[in-house]
Amino acid sequence: MGSFFGNKVRISIFGESHGEGIGVVIDGLPAGEKIDFDELYAQMQRRSPGRDKTATPRKEADMPEILSGMVGDTLTGSPLCAVIRNTNTRSGDYGNILNSPRPAHSDYAAFVKYGGHNDIRGGGHFSGRLTANIVFAGAVARQILKRKGIDIAAHIYSIGNVSDTPFAPVGIPTDLVEKLNKSSFALVDESVESKMREAVETVRKNGDSIGGVVECIVQGVPAGFGDPMFGGVENIISSAVFGVPAVKGIEFGSGFSGSAMTGSQNNDEFYYDENGIVRTRTNNHGGALGGITSGMPIIFRAAMKPTPSISMEQKTVDLQTKENTVLSIKGRHDPCIVPRAVPVIESAAAIAVINLM
Amino acid sequence: MGSFFGNKVRISIFGESHGEGIGVVIDGLPAGEKIDFDELYAQMQRRSPGRDKTATPRKEADMPEILSGMVGDTLTGSPLCAVIRNTNTRSGDYGNILNSPRPAHSDYAAFVKYGGHNDIRGGGHFSGRLTANIVFAGAVARQILKRKGIDIAAHIYSIGNVSDTPFAPVGIPTDLVEKLNKSSFALVDESVESKMREAVETVRKNGDSIGGVVECIVQGVPAGFGDPMFGGVENIISSAVFGVPAVKGIEFGSGFSGSAMTGSQNNDEFYYDENGIVRTRTNNHGGALGGITSGMPIIFRAAMKPTPSISMEQKTVDLQTKENTVLSIKGRHDPCIVPRAVPVIESAAAIAVINLM
Amino acid sequence: MGSFFGNKVRISIFGESHGEGIGVVIDGLPAGEKIDFDELYAQMQRRSPGRDKTATPRKEADMPEILSGMVGDTLTGSPLCAVIRNTNTRSGDYGNILNSPRPAHSDYAAFVKYGGHNDIRGGGHFSGRLTANIVFAGAVARQILKRKGIDIAAHIYSIGNVSDTPFAPVGIPTDLVEKLNKSSFALVDESVESKMREAVETVRKNGDSIGGVVECIVQGVPAGFGDPMFGGVENIISSAVFGVPAVKGIEFGSGFSGSAMTGSQNNDEFYYDENGIVRTRTNNHGGALGGITSGMPIIFRAAMKPTPSISMEQKTVDLQTKENTVLSIKGRHDPCIVPRAVPVIESAAAIAVINLM
Amino acid sequence: MGSFFGNKVRISIFGESHGEGIGVVIDGLPAGEKIDFDELYAQMQRRSPGRDKTATPRKEADMPEILSGMVGDTLTGSPLCAVIRNTNTRSGDYGNILNSPRPAHSDYAAFVKYGGHNDIRGGGHFSGRLTANIVFAGAVARQILKRKGIDIAAHIYSIGNVSDTPFAPVGIPTDLVEKLNKSSFALVDESVESKMREAVETVRKNGDSIGGVVECIVQGVPAGFGDPMFGGVENIISSAVFGVPAVKGIEFGSGFSGSAMTGSQNNDEFYYDENGIVRTRTNNHGGALGGITSGMPIIFRAAMKPTPSISMEQKTVDLQTKENTVLSIKGRHDPCIVPRAVPVIESAAAIAVINLM
């Protein structure tokens, strides 16, 4: 039982890739807040498969239906439920995956956990499709946070060995936030796009896949939020972000590289800025000290493993015959989910932050 | 409110560095389990300051008193409470830290959160001393887990730029587990100890500090534990591990380096081993697929920032005068907490894992 | 934020009376359990308005659609989501209730809580219609519990001053369980039905309403479940049962009347029965000692206030003009919800008990 | 695992009657609040055994030690831990209760739950002594609530068949609150004290015991607190109050008697009072509508069973020989705990209400 998140704003996610539909219940949202659905749908489009080149968001089959929690465009304060129908639930070519778990997928672990009763079609409840619910919840949360002066933006920090320019840890300009929030291939430096696409195209030709890193910034959260020990910024955000499939690592501020530094290098000195606000000149702490926000941007990077779905032949087991076997799944695979993961990571950050405040 | 952890075995931590005492309540432990106190105290000694060269655990002032939850050496099933008295609560030289928050410490964030009412002496509730409670809880959990065949071990993966030999991701031998579990400077390859101590000594002389990485392995957890999305292995372990002060990053399996790989490199192929158990030949997934244990060892690395306490002069603010100022705290600081953090990380893993099962 | 229940099997309820639909997400159900939908629909029919005289359950508009969590008739272990569409959402004659809160309804309290943004049509999220979700979740839970030998049955203990024969506290026969589980006017002694209907008819003619008491028994739960203090049988069941609108009191075993007894009268003596099972000859403790099940039936009574909706003129306030005013709501009201509340109370008990075990 | 309570202010209780000590950790209290210890100790005295005739609170062995969460008399915002030592832990005459569970006690249920490993001496974790922790937490909560204008008072509504004058449901005067809050035999009408003591004395002479009802009022909570369905006033208060041993029933407002009324009798009509506040002229709803506070006093009654400890011979089982047997426990028993339960019920209400706001 783990498909829920949060203590103040509670999110409960349901659905399986090839069942009737997927959706999310969000309880604890403030009554009276208005939701801009065009903006919300635009966020959902950023995550949609095959939308990468599309400039105009289109409202179509994959859009959520609101069942409760709103009158017109206004939150009622009661649980908000959104449902997305699964329109195309033909199972396609899953080859022998019912018996032969795909390497690096949840198939085998889920088979053991659920005794083979889980819905394996399309990955079932473990499908990347379920992240549409995270984006929905995140898009709602972000609109509420934005009215409090909080911006969330992420970019493709790297794909394989190709890297974008990192965020300035002490904060990024508003127009960059806006550009990234609209992008389906979010980069600080757009000149690296071609190299990244090249790296993806190379693995795609081989039927292979590739991973990457997403960097995310949350700016505008005042100092003093978060709780010590297990209720801190890093605990809550990491809990949410590891809910995004394929994330295998997270670091805040200077993170792993900070662990090789000295204290005098890594410590961020305080000063009063021109508005009398306490700030730090560097942001190696990534916005959290003792788990509590410092008023500086919260900044983190999430490592995403390469998509486990590849077309190459792989060794696996046959759970029926109990013998070693070989698995080959033909068909179109998404060779790199990192670009589409950007709005999902932003959304995971949003549902974490709305629970911190 | 965040000083508690867990849903099945619930841990509630209290105390401030210079208050009367610190302690922990553990609710949900199985009745009838026996606790070996010599072993428990040995774990607590590994974390104790200044014990590094000590071979024999000594039972002294810093040892916990059991207030409830046991009759003799057996758990009753009721909440277990252990208290450690603060015997030396003289405040020492905190200079002007009441007004001038120390860079990279929780001082400023806590000042804002608690309106200046928090107990700032020695870091109060944010003190590293509180990790003694984590080690206590972890030591209890580890004894129970060990009877189920689950071993937990960690080592100093690196200090600054000096690295130990990494763990074999598919599992480490029992005698290495035992060696590490007794060590106060836990290394796979003991020959790097002198280089690491040298690196620490160098920063110490400068009044500076240095960070590092701890690598931890949990082996023996069967496949099928953990829940999808927000209740998975990575979510629960990261929630616990970020409860250890100074941790700023965590990665599972191939983690950040895996994000630069292709799927065909990173995917772990399944096979039946000689006992008919499904295993993988590599362990880039770090023991969790879709958040659920695969039966392979859970392996993760935690990045620890350099201790923020340094003797060098640092810029900060004066919260009373609202002016920029300079802070200098003389006295003995621990220039590297990574060796002592090893049993704390193991313990955080233990309280996470006992909640997964 | 309170529309969820449970720690082991977590239930999240959403919907508003006149929104698009209502529904429930149930997370933590055991994979592989089969659900008998005819039986499930039959339970939902027992709660449906206007079904009281109907013998055969009909599958119609008001039946839930399963969006996730099942393949065929089998639970997958992923969250089960069921949605019921609101087909008739015309608001009808709510007179001036938008401004004038109805006495004994949630209108005024909700107006203050949600700043007037809540969906007031038909009571919104507070509507009795939402209990369909409780019955759905309860019907699923009951099928799983039944396979463990646990039966749940309730009856109309009283309406106004007309009482049914109470349950034998030490247990009721299986055929009575079965009779009650199928009944839409559940009585031990059917001869009191006419008197009860007469009492209801009398108030109906006056445009008034009447309350009653539901008695519920849960038999077959072995000894040893439930936790001390705040996690006990009474805490968990009362938490669930007070989730049913109109419940204003609950008592276990001898309850309020036991408080007037002496210990020698109220204490239940233990004995070994012919199967070597420890039992008590009386059941004044109602199946729970120290919050933990004793192995005897759990028995409780829930007091339900008269339906607040009446056709008589009532004094209230006008929240716009801030003046006292008079409210009159014509139309058909259900003068007594107690018969239909029987399956709701059983269901609340079921979702509590499945969380105790 | 159930010895904790609350979501906003979390209370974790530990201890066994004859272990080293008992105590409570309270997390989530607001930093900066001052605690009046004389007042706090006075509340704890009201619960203490054998204090009934004592006017002046005495600070003695049974008083709590504060381990954390305070500097001087001010809350730091970190978890507050209070410990009470068990000074007299001689086990006394427990006769053969280790093998022979006492009727109406938790002995048998706990034996099954904990496999015989629980600390049975003095009732262990189930001892009434543990309610000292509830009173401590409640006394802290009440001081904070009082500064928000919220008063909590309770009285002995009845012992056996002797009744006090009930509270006026629409509110009681401040001087009555104050009188009751200081009393160790709390009555509205003190003239019934002698009759009640007589009733107790009668059962005492027989080695028997007697139960009663406590009525509690919480006044000053504004309208709009509490959540729908499972997070409402009745759910939260009942969860807390059933944490008090011996409570077997609870009713709010008109409760069970309301269930025999008609809607026109039971509905509370609204009006604007002279201060422009919406109130009701009657308070059959007991301060909660749809689970949300109405602004009227919260009023409830808790039924307490007679103390299960009696000196009379009782039938029970021998868990070793598996035979029926007879139990006789000589010694001094408290024949009626209702007077001492008054501050415990008030405190349970306080920890519930502080979690609602």
Side-chain angles (χ1 to χ4, degrees):
Chain A
M1 186 186 62
S3 302
F4 60 90
F5 183 84
N7 237 334
K8 293 177 184 167
V9 176
R10 195 173 294 245
I11 286 148
S12 178
I13 287 177
F14 59 88
E16 282 133 332
S17 175
H18 286 57
E20 287 301 312
I22 64 170
V24 56
V25 182
I26 317 175
D27 197 1
L29 290 169
E33 293 274 351
K34 287 187 186 305
I35 300 303
D36 176 335
F37 276 94
D38 286 336
E39 170 57 24
L40 189 149
Y41 292 151
Q43 290 307 320
M44 299 199 70
Q45 285 292 343
R46 293 176 68 206
R47 191 215 65 90
S48 283
R51 293 282 167 264
D52 165 8
K53 289 294 190 189
T54 307
T56 325
R58 284 178 292 173
K59 292 180 194 169
E60 57 190 302
D62 215 27
M63 287 298 110
E65 182 193 12
I66 308 300
L67 292 185
S68 65
M70 302 194 79
V71 170
D73 63 351
T74 305
L75 297 176
T76 61
S78 292
L80 172 64
C81 178
V83 167
I84 305 173
R85 293 275 160 182
N86 293 332
T87 47
N88 180 349
T89 56
R90 285 172 300 113
S91 298
D93 175 17
Y94 286 98
N96 46 352
I97 73 162
L98 280 163
N99 295 334
S100 294
R102 293 167 295 172
H105 271 283
S106 64
D107 302 352
Y108 172 66
F111 174 85
V112 175
K113 181 177 180 68
Y114 301 110
H117 294 290
N118 56 309
D119 185 357
I120 200 162
R121 297 170 299 159
H125 189 57
F126 296 87
S127 167
R129 181 164 167 74
L130 272 284
T131 60
N133 296 316
I134 297 178
V135 174
F136 178 89
V140 170
R142 287 166 79 176
Q143 294 193 18
I144 296 167
L145 291 170
K146 194 168 189 70
R147 279 170 215 144
K148 300 186 180 185
I150 297 166
D151 278 326
I152 301 180
H155 70 119
I156 308 169
Y157 183 84
S158 65
I159 286 179
N161 293 311
V162 188
S163 299
D164 187 17
T165 303
F167 281 154
V170 294
I172 64 171
T174 304
D175 56 354
L176 178 54
V177 170
E178 279 169 17
K179 184 190 86 165
L180 294 171
N181 280 351
K182 284 177 185 154
S183 174
S184 57
F185 201 96
L187 289 169
V188 175
D189 174 5
E190 286 166 21
S191 74
V192 302
E193 179 171 344
S194 56
K195 269 193 193 164
M196 282 185 176
R197 289 195 184 274
E198 215 173 282
V200 174
E201 183 58 17
T202 303
V203 295
R204 194 195 59 74
K205 279 183 195 154
N206 301 333
D208 209 344
S209 66
I210 195 161
V213 174
V214 173
E215 184 177 53
C216 185
I217 195 165
V218 183
Q219 48 193 27
V221 182
F225 290 97
D227 284 301
M229 305 212 79
F230 306 111
V233 170
E234 293 100 335
N235 315 67
I236 305 296
I237 290 181
S238 66
S239 276
V241 168
F242 279 119
V244 181
V247 172
K248 297 301 280 188
I250 191 167
E251 58 177 3
F252 292 82
S254 59
F256 277 87
S257 67
S259 70
M261 293 188 198
T262 63
S264 59
Q265 291 165 333
N266 195 62
N267 286 2
D268 301 304
E269 296 184 321
F270 292 106
Y271 72 103
Y272 277 105
D273 75 3
E274 59 282 8
N275 302 313
I277 305 294
V278 174
R279 293 176 56 84
T280 58
R281 294 199 187 272
T282 50
N283 188 9
N284 292 317
H285 69 287
L289 291 169
I292 303 173
T293 54
S294 67
M296 292 299 291
I298 301 168
I299 187 159
F300 68 88
R301 281 167 298 284
M304 308 197 71
K305 70 178 182 185
T307 327
S309 295
I310 60 177
S311 306
M312 302 161 88
E313 201 175 84
Q314 296 180 91
K315 291 179 187 156
T316 184
V317 292
D318 186 311
L319 296 165
Q320 298 304 315
T321 64
K322 310 248 177 210
E323 288 174 353
N324 297 328
T325 183
V326 159
L327 181 73
S328 172
I329 305 177
K330 295 303 169 198
R332 214 168 54 87
H333 298 120
D334 192 340
C336 183
I337 55 151
V338 179
R340 295 205 286 125
V342 167
V344 185
I345 297 291
E346 289 168 344
S347 296
I351 64 178
V353 169
I354 206 170
N355 270 291
L356 279 168
M357 300 187 66
Chain B
M1 186 185 64
S3 303
F4 61 91
F5 183 84
N7 238 335
K8 293 176 183 167
V9 176
R10 195 173 292 247
I11 286 149
S12 178
I13 287 177
F14 59 87
E16 282 135 330
S17 176
H18 286 58
E20 287 302 312
I22 65 171
V24 56
V25 181
I26 317 174
D27 197 1
L29 291 169
E33 293 274 352
K34 287 189 185 305
I35 300 303
D36 177 334
F37 277 94
D38 286 336
E39 171 56 24
L40 190 150
Y41 292 152
Q43 290 307 321
M44 299 199 70
Q45 285 292 341
R46 292 176 69 206
R47 191 214 65 91
S48 283
R51 291 284 166 264
D52 164 10
K53 289 295 191 187
T54 307
T56 324
R58 284 178 291 172
K59 294 180 193 169
E60 56 189 302
D62 214 26
M63 287 299 110
E65 182 192 13
I66 308 299
L67 292 185
S68 65
M70 302 195 79
V71 170
D73 63 353
T74 305
L75 296 175
T76 60
S78 293
L80 173 64
C81 178
V83 167
I84 305 173
R85 293 276 160 181
N86 293 332
T87 46
N88 181 349
T89 57
R90 285 172 301 112
S91 298
D93 175 16
Y94 286 97
N96 46 350
I97 73 161
L98 280 162
N99 295 335
S100 295
R102 293 167 294 173
H105 271 282
S106 65
D107 301 352
Y108 171 67
F111 174 85
V112 176
K113 180 176 180 67
Y114 301 109
H117 293 291
N118 57 309
D119 185 358
I120 200 161
R121 297 169 300 158
H125 189 56
F126 296 86
S127 166
R129 180 165 168 73
L130 272 284
T131 60
N133 295 317
I134 297 177
V135 175
F136 178 89
V140 169
R142 288 167 78 175
Q143 295 192 17
I144 295 167
L145 291 170
K146 195 170 189 68
R147 280 170 214 143
K148 299 185 180 185
I150 297 167
D151 278 326
I152 300 179
H155 70 119
I156 308 169
Y157 183 84
S158 65
I159 286 179
N161 293 310
V162 189
S163 298
D164 188 17
T165 304
F167 281 153
V170 293
I172 64 171
T174 305
D175 55 353
L176 178 54
V177 171
E178 278 169 16
K179 184 190 87 167
L180 294 171
N181 281 350
K182 283 178 184 151
S183 175
S184 57
F185 200 97
L187 289 169
V188 175
D189 174 5
E190 286 166 21
S191 74
V192 301
E193 178 169 346
S194 56
K195 270 193 193 163
M196 283 186 176
R197 290 195 183 276
E198 215 172 282
V200 174
E201 184 59 16
T202 303
V203 295
R204 194 196 58 75
K205 278 184 192 151
N206 300 334
D208 208 344
S209 66
I210 195 161
V213 174
V214 173
E215 184 177 52
C216 183
I217 195 164
V218 182
Q219 48 193 27
V221 182
F225 290 96
D227 284 301
M229 304 213 80
F230 305 111
V233 170
E234 294 100 334
N235 315 67
I236 305 296
I237 289 182
S238 66
S239 276
V241 169
F242 279 119
V244 180
V247 173
K248 296 301 278 189
I250 190 167
E251 58 177 3
F252 293 81
S254 60
F256 277 88
S257 67
S259 71
M261 292 187 199
T262 63
S264 59
Q265 291 166 335
N266 194 63
N267 286 3
D268 302 303
E269 297 185 320
F270 293 106
Y271 72 103
Y272 277 105
D273 75 2
E274 59 282 9
N275 302 314
I277 305 294
V278 174
R279 292 176 56 83
T280 58
R281 294 197 189 274
T282 50
N283 188 9
N284 291 318
H285 69 287
L289 291 169
I292 303 173
T293 54
S294 67
M296 292 299 290
I298 300 168
I299 187 158
F300 67 88
R301 282 167 297 284
M304 308 197 72
K305 71 178 182 185
T307 327
S309 296
I310 59 177
S311 306
M312 301 160 88
E313 200 174 85
Q314 295 179 90
K315 291 179 187 158
T316 185
V317 292
D318 186 311
L319 296 165
Q320 298 304 315
T321 64
K322 310 250 178 207
E323 288 175 351
N324 295 327
T325 182
V326 159
L327 182 72
S328 171
I329 305 177
K330 296 304 171 197
R332 213 168 55 85
H333 299 120
D334 192 339
C336 183
I337 54 151
V338 179
R340 295 204 286 123
V342 167
V344 185
I345 298 290
E346 289 168 344
S347 295
I351 63 178
V353 170
I354 206 169
N355 270 290
L356 279 168
M357 301 188 66
Chain C
M1 186 186 61
S3 302
F4 60 91
F5 183 85
N7 238 334
K8 293 175 183 168
V9 176
R10 196 173 293 245
I11 285 148
S12 179
I13 286 176
F14 59 87
E16 281 135 331
S17 175
H18 286 57
E20 286 302 312
I22 65 170
V24 57
V25 181
I26 317 175
D27 197 0
L29 290 169
E33 293 274 352
K34 288 188 185 306
I35 300 303
D36 177 335
F37 277 93
D38 286 336
E39 171 56 24
L40 189 149
Y41 292 151
Q43 290 307 320
M44 298 199 71
Q45 285 292 342
R46 293 176 67 205
R47 190 214 66 89
S48 282
R51 292 282 168 263
D52 164 9
K53 288 297 190 186
T54 307
T56 323
R58 284 178 292 173
K59 293 179 193 170
E60 58 189 300
D62 215 27
M63 288 298 110
E65 181 192 14
I66 308 299
L67 291 186
S68 66
M70 303 195 77
V71 171
D73 63 351
T74 305
L75 296 176
T76 61
S78 292
L80 173 63
C81 177
V83 166
I84 305 172
R85 294 275 160 181
N86 293 332
T87 46
N88 180 350
T89 56
R90 285 173 300 113
S91 299
D93 175 18
Y94 286 97
N96 46 351
I97 73 162
L98 279 164
N99 295 335
S100 295
R102 293 166 295 172
H105 272 281
S106 64
D107 302 351
Y108 171 66
F111 174 86
V112 175
K113 181 177 181 66
Y114 301 109
H117 294 290
N118 56 308
D119 185 357
I120 201 161
R121 297 169 300 160
H125 190 57
F126 296 87
S127 165
R129 179 163 169 73
L130 272 285
T131 60
N133 295 317
I134 298 177
V135 174
F136 178 88
V140 170
R142 288 165 79 175
Q143 294 192 18
I144 295 167
L145 292 170
K146 192 167 191 73
R147 281 171 214 143
K148 300 186 179 185
I150 297 167
D151 278 326
I152 301 179
H155 70 119
I156 309 168
Y157 184 83
S158 65
I159 286 179
N161 293 310
V162 189
S163 298
D164 187 18
T165 304
F167 281 153
V170 294
I172 64 171
T174 305
D175 56 353
L176 178 54
V177 170
E178 279 169 17
K179 183 189 86 167
L180 294 171
N181 281 351
K182 285 179 185 152
S183 175
S184 57
F185 202 97
L187 289 169
V188 175
D189 174 6
E190 287 166 20
S191 74
V192 302
E193 178 171 343
S194 56
K195 268 194 193 163
M196 283 186 177
R197 290 195 182 274
E198 214 173 282
V200 174
E201 184 58 17
T202 302
V203 294
R204 195 194 59 74
K205 277 183 195 153
N206 300 334
D208 209 344
S209 67
I210 194 162
V213 174
V214 173
E215 184 177 51
C216 184
I217 195 165
V218 183
Q219 49 192 27
V221 182
F225 290 96
D227 284 301
M229 306 212 79
F230 305 111
V233 171
E234 294 100 334
N235 314 67
I236 306 296
I237 290 181
S238 66
S239 276
V241 169
F242 279 119
V244 181
V247 172
K248 298 300 279 189
I250 190 167
E251 58 178 1
F252 292 82
S254 61
F256 277 88
S257 68
S259 71
M261 293 187 198
T262 63
S264 59
Q265 291 166 333
N266 193 63
N267 286 4
D268 301 304
E269 296 185 320
F270 292 107
Y271 73 102
Y272 277 105
D273 76 3
E274 59 282 9
N275 302 312
I277 306 293
V278 173
R279 293 176 55 83
T280 58
R281 293 196 189 276
T282 50
N283 188 9
N284 291 318
H285 69 288
L289 291 169
I292 303 173
T293 54
S294 67
M296 293 298 292
I298 301 168
I299 187 160
F300 68 89
R301 282 167 298 283
M304 307 197 71
K305 71 178 183 185
T307 326
S309 295
I310 60 177
S311 306
M312 301 161 87
E313 200 175 85
Q314 295 180 90
K315 292 179 186 156
T316 185
V317 292
D318 186 311
L319 296 166
Q320 298 304 317
T321 63
K322 310 251 176 206
E323 288 176 350
N324 295 328
T325 183
V326 159
L327 182 71
S328 172
I329 306 177
K330 295 304 169 198
R332 212 168 56 88
H333 299 119
D334 193 339
C336 184
I337 54 152
V338 180
R340 295 204 286 127
V342 167
V344 185
I345 298 290
E346 289 168 344
S347 296
I351 64 178
V353 169
I354 206 169
N355 269 290
L356 279 168
M357 300 187 65
Chain D
M1 186 186 62
S3 302
F4 61 90
F5 183 85
N7 238 335
K8 293 177 185 167
V9 176
R10 196 173 291 246
I11 286 148
S12 178
I13 287 176
F14 60 88
E16 282 135 330
S17 175
H18 286 59
E20 287 302 312
I22 64 171
V24 57
V25 181
I26 316 175
D27 197 0
L29 291 169
E33 293 274 352
K34 289 190 183 306
I35 300 303
D36 177 334
F37 277 93
D38 286 337
E39 171 56 24
L40 189 149
Y41 291 152
Q43 290 307 321
M44 299 200 70
Q45 285 292 341
R46 292 176 69 205
R47 190 214 66 90
S48 282
R51 291 285 167 262
D52 163 12
K53 288 296 192 186
T54 306
T56 323
R58 285 178 290 172
K59 294 181 193 169
E60 58 190 302
D62 215 26
M63 287 300 110
E65 182 193 12
I66 308 300
L67 292 185
S68 66
M70 302 195 79
V71 170
D73 63 351
T74 306
L75 296 176
T76 61
S78 292
L80 172 64
C81 177
V83 167
I84 306 172
R85 294 277 161 181
N86 292 331
T87 45
N88 181 350
T89 57
R90 285 173 300 111
S91 298
D93 175 17
Y94 286 96
N96 45 351
I97 73 161
L98 280 163
N99 296 335
S100 295
R102 293 166 295 172
H105 272 281
S106 64
D107 302 352
Y108 171 66
F111 175 86
V112 175
K113 180 176 181 68
Y114 300 109
H117 293 290
N118 57 309
D119 185 357
I120 200 162
R121 298 169 299 159
H125 188 57
F126 296 87
S127 166
R129 179 164 170 73
L130 272 284
T131 60
N133 295 317
I134 297 177
V135 174
F136 178 89
V140 170
R142 289 166 78 174
Q143 294 192 18
I144 295 167
L145 291 170
K146 194 170 190 70
R147 280 171 214 143
K148 300 185 180 185
I150 297 167
D151 279 325
I152 300 179
H155 70 119
I156 308 168
Y157 183 84
S158 65
I159 287 179
N161 294 310
V162 189
S163 299
D164 188 18
T165 304
F167 281 153
V170 293
I172 64 171
T174 305
D175 56 352
L176 178 54
V177 171
E178 279 170 16
K179 184 190 87 167
L180 294 172
N181 280 351
K182 284 180 183 149
S183 175
S184 58
F185 201 96
L187 289 169
V188 175
D189 174 6
E190 286 166 22
S191 75
V192 301
E193 178 170 345
S194 56
K195 268 194 193 164
M196 283 186 177
R197 290 195 181 276
E198 217 172 280
V200 174
E201 183 60 15
T202 302
V203 294
R204 195 195 59 74
K205 277 185 192 153
N206 300 334
D208 209 345
S209 67
I210 195 161
V213 174
V214 172
E215 184 177 50
C216 183
I217 195 165
V218 183
Q219 49 193 27
V221 182
F225 290 96
D227 285 300
M229 305 213 78
F230 306 111
V233 170
E234 295 100 333
N235 314 66
I236 305 296
I237 290 181
S238 67
S239 275
V241 168
F242 278 120
V244 181
V247 172
K248 297 301 279 189
I250 189 168
E251 58 177 2
F252 292 81
S254 60
F256 277 88
S257 68
S259 71
M261 292 187 198
T262 64
S264 59
Q265 290 165 334
N266 194 62
N267 286 4
D268 301 304
E269 298 185 319
F270 293 107
Y271 72 102
Y272 277 105
D273 76 4
E274 59 282 8
N275 302 313
I277 306 293
V278 173
R279 293 176 56 82
T280 57
R281 294 198 189 274
T282 50
N283 188 9
N284 291 319
H285 70 286
L289 292 169
I292 302 173
T293 54
S294 67
M296 293 298 292
I298 300 168
I299 188 160
F300 68 88
R301 283 166 298 282
M304 309 197 71
K305 70 178 182 184
T307 327
S309 296
I310 60 177
S311 305
M312 301 160 88
E313 201 174 83
Q314 295 179 90
K315 290 179 187 157
T316 184
V317 292
D318 186 311
L319 296 166
Q320 297 304 316
T321 63
K322 310 254 176 204
E323 287 176 350
N324 296 328
T325 183
V326 159
L327 181 73
S328 171
I329 304 176
K330 295 304 171 199
R332 213 167 56 86
H333 299 119
D334 192 339
C336 183
I337 54 150
V338 179
R340 294 204 287 126
V342 167
V344 185
I345 298 290
E346 288 169 344
S347 295
I351 64 178
V353 169
I354 207 169
N355 270 289
L356 279 169
M357 300 188 66

